[in-house]
Amino acid sequence: MAAVFFHHVVGDLTVGKPAVAELHDTDTLEAAARAIAASPEGAVPVWRPRETPDEPPSGARFLGMISTLDIAAFVAAAGIGDRAMGSMVGEVVQPNPGLLREVDPGTRLIDALDLMKQGVKRFLVRKNGTWRGISKRFSVLYYGKWLKNMEQASPSSASSSSQLSSSASSTYKFCCLSREDILRFLIGCLGALAPTPLSPISSLGAINPHYCHVNASAPAMETIQKVPPDPSAIAVVETALDGTRKIIGDISAYKLWKCDYVAVAWALANLSAGQFVIGAEGNESTPISAIPEPPISSSPVEEIRTGRSPRAKKFSSRSIGFLNSQAHQMAFGRVRSMYRGRSTLLTCKSTSSLAAVMAQMLSHRATHVWVTDEESEEDGVLVGVVGYTDIFNAVTRSASLVTS
């Protein structure tokens, strides 16, 4: 199992990855929304502008990451509706250079995983050129034999390659590797990782019991301020008399991926956490306003734009972009990116296998899965959460023992 992590390098995962498309702190939130829609984790890196047109990306120019939650919270606090999307990214992003690490493509996968377990969320990797590493690329799992290592090349060819790399340093292209890229690679190596992937997550210690949660009656705007950095999610629960918590939904960067930020901002400012995560479809018979809560306005866009007096009405998940809506797609004179099905809560049992949880995260492009109690008589009793870091810790534990 440990061979997978020691015989592959970061460069092995860059095949097919597009070059970095930089989002600068001088760009607008509208541009950030488009960049996030193309991102796998609901957040994108933010860079300082280049000093010269041909300056390559570098860790020195990296500022931090901006997520869907950051944009939604800013628009809700600004209270100026769609105009807030014209604000600059630099007004919203929180500086955190530790979220991205520039690494050599010859960095061992085991070392890269250690960095991600320490909080790194993106790797900036040189995509073209050659490197001298210990990688046995496309290993015995795929071709039946190891390919020749770069270290086995003749001295003359190695020297010429080094000179070529030096002369072409200014033309290097870079790509960003996310945690999803790492997870996708791991799920393609399940056979080599056996028996760990088939083991229950409870036996692997992959369940994080220290999750963040709020009661459904809490204001959604206050809730969004409590969302932790990793996983960037907070559970919305109903607490029983015995102290058990039943999860009814969550507020997370993943759930708001490809959303209508103006409508989300209205919902955050006007609804409780429970109303925000559940909503009510327009054809439901029971209005969401039946839950005790301050009255909400007639339209998420109209209230922000016109300041009309609020009145009670049904709240639809369509209004915050969870479902496709022709009217909302054409709002404000342009087509907005929408996503279908993000209102579904992702859960698993404590007895679920690690492979099942990994596949669930990849199929939904999620950053976490909530874990419910297998033995509880009532469904949805929350016991923890599984995120990227928990999975990386589980799959590398045996490799760490080998290293020791």
Side-chain angles (χ1 to χ4, degrees), residues 149-160:
N149 198 339
M150 288 295 297
E151 293 289 346
Q152 297 174 350
S154 64
S156 59
S157 62
S159 177
S160 60

Side-chain angles (χ1 to χ4, degrees), residues 266 270-271 275 280 286-300 303 308-316:
W266 170 86
N270 289 273
L271 304 181
Q275 289 174 318
T286 304
I288 198 69
S289 56
I291 303 177
E293 184 70 19
I296 56 181
S297 66
S298 59
S299 167
E303 181 194 356
R308 292 182 182 178
S309 59
R311 65 184 181 85
K313 69 179 292 291
K314 297 178 184 178
F315 170 62
S316 171

Side-chain angles (χ1 to χ4, degrees), residues 1-2 5-6 110 395-404:
M1 172 179 172
F5 304 112
F6 291 101
I110 186 67
V395 297
T396 57
R397 189 165 290 120
S398 62
S400 299
L401 294 175
V402 172
T403 304
S404 302

Side-chain angles (χ1 to χ4, degrees), residues 226-240:
K226 302 176 182 178
V227 176
D230 190 37
S232 185
I234 188 167
V236 179
V237 302
E238 294 177 342
T239 305

Side-chain angles (χ1 to χ4, degrees), residues 191-275:
L193 297 176
T196 298
L198 298 181
S199 304
I201 53 176
S202 56
S203 66
L204 296 173
I207 303 175
N208 180 7
H210 306 295
Y211 58 88
C212 291
H213 67 279
V214 296
N215 286 322
S217 58
M221 192 62 187
E222 294 181 10
T223 299
I224 202 173
Q225 306 298 332
K226 302 176 182 178
V227 176
D230 190 37
S232 185
I234 188 167
V236 179
V237 302
E238 294 177 342
T239 305
L241 296 177
D242 60 358
T244 58
R245 305 185 186 103
K246 182 179 180 180
I247 186 169
I248 62 173
D250 73 348
I251 298 177
S252 63
Y254 145 73
K255 293 294 284 291
L256 299 182
W257 190 52
K258 295 188 178 182
C259 68
D260 184 325
Y261 292 97
V262 177
V264 167
W266 170 86
L268 288 173
N270 289 273
L271 304 181
S272 69
Q275 289 174 318

